[in-house]
Amino acid sequence: MKKTLSQKSLLMTLSVLISISLLILTLLGACSKQKDVNQVGVLHWWTSGGEAAALNVLKEDLEGKGVAWEDIAVAGGGGEQAMTALRARVAAGDSPTAVQMLGFDIVEWAQEGVLADLNTVANENNWDTVIPLALQKFAKYDGKWISAPVNVHSVNWVWGNKAIFDELGLSPPQTWDEFIAAAKKIKKAGYIPIAHGGQAWQEATVFDSLVYSVGGIDFYTRAMIDLDPAAINSKEMQTVFNRLRDIRDLVDPNFPGRDWNLATAMVIEGKAGMQIMGDWAKGEFIKANQVPDEDFLCFRFPGTQEAVIFNSDQFVMFEIEANRRNAQNLMAVSIMDPVFQSAFNVVKGSVPARVDVPDDDFDDCGKKAMAQLTAANNNNTMVGSFAHGHASPAAVKNAMYDVITQFFNSDQSSQAAAQALTDAVGLAVQ
Ligand code: BGC
């Protein structure tokens, strides 16, 4: 179709306008990338009350040293959404200075060749000696330090409301049967037995504890770390799914989509008796001014008393412009400072990522967690959490998430779920 003269001139004006706008946008983009050399841009998913309080300890520590903080928060426990945002940012040529990251994700970013080399500061500060080997496995790649571990969390905890336990004459259950009996008693008394947030990573977090409690360290290692099909498609795995179904029957109807910290709030407020969650939940109790053994209980998931199913938050340092590396190095050194490690982890609910930090400032749960970590490390009962990226790469982890969450939200049989898990892992490892 032929265009009239006025249509042609309109099109030309439009294309000139578009070109000018694009030029302005490019210039604005270039300016926004001109970052203050004393500023660190930090991508993380610490957005709950307890998490934000812990992050503030780091932020204030750095600000006290003249390092400004650019906050890049991407909500979502377990960090899946944060990792998606990170990919987009790096692809756009705008890498953050530092990124909160877990286990195998760190290795995958290291393989991309986009991370900083922290060897100078690591050697000056003796990181090889003070950071546990289980964390070095992820913090170093090809002989090069690439990240600074800020904590060690563990997922195999149960958080209990002390008043409800006292009212019902309950003590922390030691076995699976005792756990179910306690939950049923709580239900009968009119409380929600288990506070749960229906998100794939939260179901996976419960799964971590169930796998260990059903089959111990050997089964956990074979199924979740070695990904042995005979272990994944086994009678033990069917028992794991049976127990997950038992838990499903003890949560309230409003669980779908609920954030983990809102589930913790249900225990804090005395609406629910227990939550199965990593010790970042303790940060919420502390934020609410609650005291362990007075207001809340922390005990290991029954059958995992000897185990520490761990995940460690690390700040992975990205390659950035040379003139901004001082601030980056200062951040790495500050994170590994023993005084900081104590101050931060007391608030976060985790334990230090160095072996030489005294437990003086920690509450009873924290002291217990530190002693258990040392024991588990000596007895080889410390294993990486599958749910939090320390057992297998993201592709396998996500494939498992899908199967577990699908089971949790349906009437699928345990046998079919064990088969589906085996098939999903088989496809993901190809
Ligand atoms: C992180 C914790 C965080 C939790 C919930 C875990 O993957 O390791 O630091 O508090 O997710 O957001």
PDB file of all heavy atoms in Angstrom, residues 45-46 51 76-79 100 102 151 153 201 260 280 311 313 348 388, ligand 1:
ATOM      1  N   TRP A  45      19.267 -12.183  49.159  1.00  0.00           N
ATOM      2  CA  TRP A  45      17.821 -12.412  49.349  1.00  0.00           C
ATOM      3  C   TRP A  45      17.425 -12.348  50.829  1.00  0.00           C
ATOM      4  O   TRP A  45      16.490 -13.000  51.264  1.00  0.00           O
ATOM      5  CB  TRP A  45      17.371 -13.725  48.699  1.00  0.00           C
ATOM      6  CG  TRP A  45      17.926 -15.010  49.223  1.00  0.00           C
ATOM      7  CD1 TRP A  45      17.386 -15.802  50.195  1.00  0.00           C
ATOM      8  CD2 TRP A  45      19.083 -15.710  48.749  1.00  0.00           C
ATOM      9  NE1 TRP A  45      18.137 -16.939  50.362  1.00  0.00           N
ATOM     10  CE2 TRP A  45      19.192 -16.915  49.481  1.00  0.00           C
ATOM     11  CE3 TRP A  45      20.055 -15.447  47.768  1.00  0.00           C
ATOM     12  CZ2 TRP A  45      20.221 -17.840  49.286  1.00  0.00           C
ATOM     13  CZ3 TRP A  45      21.075 -16.368  47.577  1.00  0.00           C
ATOM     14  CH2 TRP A  45      21.147 -17.535  48.316  1.00  0.00           C
ATOM     15  N   TRP A  46      18.152 -11.528  51.567  1.00  0.00           N
ATOM     16  CA  TRP A  46      17.855 -11.416  53.000  1.00  0.00           C
ATOM     17  C   TRP A  46      16.845 -10.296  53.253  1.00  0.00           C
ATOM     18  O   TRP A  46      17.226  -9.167  53.590  1.00  0.00           O
ATOM     19  CB  TRP A  46      19.144 -11.160  53.760  1.00  0.00           C
ATOM     20  CG  TRP A  46      19.987 -12.409  53.870  1.00  0.00           C
ATOM     21  CD1 TRP A  46      19.557 -13.693  53.796  1.00  0.00           C
ATOM     22  CD2 TRP A  46      21.399 -12.477  54.104  1.00  0.00           C
ATOM     23  NE1 TRP A  46      20.601 -14.568  53.967  1.00  0.00           N
ATOM     24  CE2 TRP A  46      21.734 -13.852  54.156  1.00  0.00           C
ATOM     25  CE3 TRP A  46      22.395 -11.525  54.280  1.00  0.00           C
ATOM     26  CZ2 TRP A  46      23.042 -14.284  54.373  1.00  0.00           C
ATOM     27  CZ3 TRP A  46      23.693 -11.955  54.494  1.00  0.00           C
ATOM     28  CH2 TRP A  46      24.004 -13.327  54.542  1.00  0.00           C
ATOM     29  N   GLU A  51      16.659 -11.533  58.868  1.00  0.00           N
ATOM     30  CA  GLU A  51      17.723 -11.469  57.854  1.00  0.00           C
ATOM     31  C   GLU A  51      18.202 -10.039  57.653  1.00  0.00           C
ATOM     32  O   GLU A  51      19.409  -9.780  57.557  1.00  0.00           O
ATOM     33  CB  GLU A  51      17.201 -12.027  56.529  1.00  0.00           C
ATOM     34  CG  GLU A  51      16.938 -13.522  56.550  1.00  0.00           C
ATOM     35  CD  GLU A  51      16.273 -14.015  55.274  1.00  0.00           C
ATOM     36  OE1 GLU A  51      15.517 -13.250  54.641  1.00  0.00           O
ATOM     37  OE2 GLU A  51      16.484 -15.178  54.915  1.00  0.00           O
ATOM     38  N   GLY A  76      12.973 -14.026  48.251  1.00  0.00           N
ATOM     39  CA  GLY A  76      12.710 -15.426  47.879  1.00  0.00           C
ATOM     40  C   GLY A  76      13.685 -16.357  48.572  1.00  0.00           C
ATOM     41  O   GLY A  76      14.848 -16.421  48.168  1.00  0.00           O
ATOM     42  N   GLY A  77      13.212 -17.046  49.616  1.00  0.00           N
ATOM     43  CA  GLY A  77      14.083 -17.950  50.369  1.00  0.00           C
ATOM     44  C   GLY A  77      14.725 -18.989  49.462  1.00  0.00           C
ATOM     45  O   GLY A  77      14.157 -19.383  48.443  1.00  0.00           O
ATOM     46  N   GLY A  78      15.928 -19.416  49.844  1.00  0.00           N
ATOM     47  CA  GLY A  78      16.641 -20.395  49.036  1.00  0.00           C
ATOM     48  C   GLY A  78      17.368 -19.754  47.853  1.00  0.00           C
ATOM     49  O   GLY A  78      18.256 -20.356  47.270  1.00  0.00           O
ATOM     50  N   GLY A  79      16.959 -18.519  47.457  1.00  0.00           N
ATOM     51  CA  GLY A  79      17.738 -17.748  46.498  1.00  0.00           C
ATOM     52  C   GLY A  79      17.474 -18.003  45.022  1.00  0.00           C
ATOM     53  O   GLY A  79      18.180 -17.458  44.171  1.00  0.00           O
ATOM     54  N   GLN A 100      25.367 -12.914  47.440  1.00  0.00           N
ATOM     55  CA  GLN A 100      25.092 -14.020  48.363  1.00  0.00           C
ATOM     56  C   GLN A 100      24.827 -15.260  47.508  1.00  0.00           C
ATOM     57  O   GLN A 100      24.011 -15.219  46.586  1.00  0.00           O
ATOM     58  CB  GLN A 100      23.853 -13.690  49.194  1.00  0.00           C
ATOM     59  CG  GLN A 100      23.426 -14.824  50.112  1.00  0.00           C
ATOM     60  CD  GLN A 100      21.982 -14.671  50.609  1.00  0.00           C
ATOM     61  OE1 GLN A 100      21.322 -13.689  50.310  1.00  0.00           O
ATOM     62  NE2 GLN A 100      21.522 -15.658  51.351  1.00  0.00           N
ATOM     63  N   LEU A 102      25.047 -19.901  47.222  1.00  0.00           N
ATOM     64  CA  LEU A 102      25.138 -21.187  47.908  1.00  0.00           C
ATOM     65  C   LEU A 102      25.866 -22.222  47.048  1.00  0.00           C
ATOM     66  O   LEU A 102      25.620 -22.323  45.840  1.00  0.00           O
ATOM     67  CB  LEU A 102      23.731 -21.724  48.190  1.00  0.00           C
ATOM     68  CG  LEU A 102      22.819 -20.890  49.095  1.00  0.00           C
ATOM     69  CD1 LEU A 102      21.392 -21.454  49.075  1.00  0.00           C
ATOM     70  CD2 LEU A 102      23.342 -20.867  50.523  1.00  0.00           C
ATOM     71  N   ASN A 151      28.829 -17.628  56.947  1.00  0.00           N
ATOM     72  CA  ASN A 151      28.185 -18.407  58.023  1.00  0.00           C
ATOM     73  C   ASN A 151      28.107 -19.885  57.685  1.00  0.00           C
ATOM     74  O   ASN A 151      28.432 -20.296  56.563  1.00  0.00           O
ATOM     75  CB  ASN A 151      26.765 -17.888  58.284  1.00  0.00           C
ATOM     76  CG  ASN A 151      25.829 -18.076  57.093  1.00  0.00           C
ATOM     77  OD1 ASN A 151      26.104 -18.844  56.181  1.00  0.00           O
ATOM     78  ND2 ASN A 151      24.718 -17.381  57.106  1.00  0.00           N
ATOM     79  N   HIS A 153      24.840 -22.447  58.138  1.00  0.00           N
ATOM     80  CA  HIS A 153      23.485 -22.739  58.606  1.00  0.00           C
ATOM     81  C   HIS A 153      23.303 -24.248  58.601  1.00  0.00           C
ATOM     82  O   HIS A 153      24.010 -24.964  57.896  1.00  0.00           O
ATOM     83  CB  HIS A 153      22.453 -22.166  57.618  1.00  0.00           C
ATOM     84  CG  HIS A 153      22.053 -20.755  57.889  1.00  0.00           C
ATOM     85  ND1 HIS A 153      21.504 -20.355  59.084  1.00  0.00           N
ATOM     86  CD2 HIS A 153      22.086 -19.644  57.101  1.00  0.00           C
ATOM     87  CE1 HIS A 153      21.213 -19.063  59.027  1.00  0.00           C
ATOM     88  NE2 HIS A 153      21.570 -18.604  57.835  1.00  0.00           N
ATOM     89  N   TRP A 201      11.039 -24.787  47.723  1.00  0.00           N
ATOM     90  CA  TRP A 201      12.289 -24.886  48.485  1.00  0.00           C
ATOM     91  C   TRP A 201      12.029 -25.257  49.945  1.00  0.00           C
ATOM     92  O   TRP A 201      12.858 -25.891  50.591  1.00  0.00           O
ATOM     93  CB  TRP A 201      13.109 -23.587  48.380  1.00  0.00           C
ATOM     94  CG  TRP A 201      12.565 -22.435  49.178  1.00  0.00           C
ATOM     95  CD1 TRP A 201      11.670 -21.500  48.748  1.00  0.00           C
ATOM     96  CD2 TRP A 201      12.880 -22.094  50.540  1.00  0.00           C
ATOM     97  NE1 TRP A 201      11.403 -20.609  49.765  1.00  0.00           N
ATOM     98  CE2 TRP A 201      12.129 -20.941  50.866  1.00  0.00           C
ATOM     99  CE3 TRP A 201      13.718 -22.644  51.511  1.00  0.00           C
ATOM    100  CZ2 TRP A 201      12.193 -20.334  52.125  1.00  0.00           C
ATOM    101  CZ3 TRP A 201      13.779 -22.034  52.760  1.00  0.00           C
ATOM    102  CH2 TRP A 201      13.022 -20.902  53.055  1.00  0.00           C
ATOM    103  N   TRP A 260       8.389 -18.437  54.417  1.00  0.00           N
ATOM    104  CA  TRP A 260       8.893 -19.188  55.579  1.00  0.00           C
ATOM    105  C   TRP A 260       8.815 -18.384  56.870  1.00  0.00           C
ATOM    106  O   TRP A 260       8.527 -18.916  57.938  1.00  0.00           O
ATOM    107  CB  TRP A 260      10.336 -19.643  55.329  1.00  0.00           C
ATOM    108  CG  TRP A 260      11.315 -18.488  55.268  1.00  0.00           C
ATOM    109  CD1 TRP A 260      11.645 -17.767  54.159  1.00  0.00           C
ATOM    110  CD2 TRP A 260      12.043 -17.923  56.362  1.00  0.00           C
ATOM    111  NE1 TRP A 260      12.538 -16.785  54.492  1.00  0.00           N
ATOM    112  CE2 TRP A 260      12.811 -16.857  55.829  1.00  0.00           C
ATOM    113  CE3 TRP A 260      12.139 -18.204  57.719  1.00  0.00           C
ATOM    114  CZ2 TRP A 260      13.655 -16.076  56.622  1.00  0.00           C
ATOM    115  CZ3 TRP A 260      12.974 -17.421  58.509  1.00  0.00           C
ATOM    116  CH2 TRP A 260      13.718 -16.377  57.962  1.00  0.00           C
ATOM    117  N   TRP A 280      18.000 -20.091  60.119  1.00  0.00           N
ATOM    118  CA  TRP A 280      17.677 -18.684  59.872  1.00  0.00           C
ATOM    119  C   TRP A 280      16.362 -18.348  60.584  1.00  0.00           C
ATOM    120  O   TRP A 280      16.106 -17.190  60.898  1.00  0.00           O
ATOM    121  CB  TRP A 280      17.578 -18.368  58.365  1.00  0.00           C
ATOM    122  CG  TRP A 280      16.843 -19.390  57.552  1.00  0.00           C
ATOM    123  CD1 TRP A 280      15.518 -19.397  57.272  1.00  0.00           C
ATOM    124  CD2 TRP A 280      17.395 -20.560  56.921  1.00  0.00           C
ATOM    125  NE1 TRP A 280      15.203 -20.497  56.509  1.00  0.00           N
ATOM    126  CE2 TRP A 280      16.328 -21.214  56.272  1.00  0.00           C
ATOM    127  CE3 TRP A 280      18.672 -21.106  56.833  1.00  0.00           C
ATOM    128  CZ2 TRP A 280      16.500 -22.410  55.555  1.00  0.00           C
ATOM    129  CZ3 TRP A 280      18.849 -22.284  56.119  1.00  0.00           C
ATOM    130  CH2 TRP A 280      17.776 -22.922  55.495  1.00  0.00           C
ATOM    131  N   ASN A 311      24.299 -25.654  55.044  1.00  0.00           N
ATOM    132  CA  ASN A 311      24.531 -24.787  53.886  1.00  0.00           C
ATOM    133  C   ASN A 311      25.217 -23.529  54.395  1.00  0.00           C
ATOM    134  O   ASN A 311      25.000 -23.109  55.523  1.00  0.00           O
ATOM    135  CB  ASN A 311      23.236 -24.453  53.140  1.00  0.00           C
ATOM    136  CG  ASN A 311      22.268 -23.629  53.928  1.00  0.00           C
ATOM    137  OD1 ASN A 311      21.843 -24.040  54.988  1.00  0.00           O
ATOM    138  ND2 ASN A 311      21.915 -22.473  53.430  1.00  0.00           N
ATOM    139  N   ASP A 313      26.187 -19.579  53.532  1.00  0.00           N
ATOM    140  CA  ASP A 313      26.046 -18.399  52.672  1.00  0.00           C
ATOM    141  C   ASP A 313      27.429 -17.827  52.430  1.00  0.00           C
ATOM    142  O   ASP A 313      28.181 -17.572  53.380  1.00  0.00           O
ATOM    143  CB  ASP A 313      25.201 -17.330  53.377  1.00  0.00           C
ATOM    144  CG  ASP A 313      23.745 -17.731  53.493  1.00  0.00           C
ATOM    145  OD1 ASP A 313      23.118 -17.973  52.446  1.00  0.00           O
ATOM    146  OD2 ASP A 313      23.234 -17.796  54.628  1.00  0.00           O
ATOM    147  N   LYS A 348      22.004 -13.617  62.918  1.00  0.00           N
ATOM    148  CA  LYS A 348      21.469 -14.373  61.768  1.00  0.00           C
ATOM    149  C   LYS A 348      20.880 -15.730  62.157  1.00  0.00           C
ATOM    150  O   LYS A 348      20.035 -16.287  61.471  1.00  0.00           O
ATOM    151  CB  LYS A 348      22.593 -14.571  60.726  1.00  0.00           C
ATOM    152  CG  LYS A 348      22.163 -15.254  59.445  1.00  0.00           C
ATOM    153  CD  LYS A 348      21.242 -14.374  58.622  1.00  0.00           C
ATOM    154  CE  LYS A 348      20.911 -14.929  57.251  1.00  0.00           C
ATOM    155  NZ  LYS A 348      20.080 -16.101  57.246  1.00  0.00           N
ATOM    156  N   HIS A 388      19.389 -26.545  49.742  1.00  0.00           N
ATOM    157  CA  HIS A 388      20.099 -25.263  49.684  1.00  0.00           C
ATOM    158  C   HIS A 388      21.414 -25.383  48.917  1.00  0.00           C
ATOM    159  O   HIS A 388      22.436 -24.807  49.300  1.00  0.00           O
ATOM    160  CB  HIS A 388      20.250 -24.693  51.103  1.00  0.00           C
ATOM    161  CG  HIS A 388      18.911 -24.400  51.679  1.00  0.00           C
ATOM    162  ND1 HIS A 388      18.307 -23.162  51.592  1.00  0.00           N
ATOM    163  CD2 HIS A 388      17.999 -25.221  52.253  1.00  0.00           C
ATOM    164  CE1 HIS A 388      17.090 -23.241  52.102  1.00  0.00           C
ATOM    165  NE2 HIS A 388      16.880 -24.470  52.519  1.00  0.00           N
TER     166      HIS A 388
HETATM  167  C1  BGC B   1      19.989 -19.024  53.132  1.00  0.00           C
HETATM  168  C2  BGC B   1      19.685 -18.285  54.404  1.00  0.00           C
HETATM  169  C3  BGC B   1      18.342 -17.590  54.274  1.00  0.00           C
HETATM  170  C4  BGC B   1      17.282 -18.596  53.889  1.00  0.00           C
HETATM  171  C5  BGC B   1      15.886 -18.035  53.773  1.00  0.00           C
HETATM  172  C6  BGC B   1      18.828 -19.914  52.746  1.00  0.00           C
HETATM  173  O1  BGC B   1      19.073 -20.496  51.495  1.00  0.00           O
HETATM  174  O2  BGC B   1      21.141 -19.804  53.281  1.00  0.00           O
HETATM  175  O3  BGC B   1      20.683 -17.339  54.689  1.00  0.00           O
HETATM  176  O4  BGC B   1      18.055 -16.941  55.473  1.00  0.00           O
HETATM  177  O5  BGC B   1      17.615 -19.169  52.643  1.00  0.00           O
HETATM  178  O6  BGC B   1      15.834 -16.906  53.003  1.00  0.00           O
END
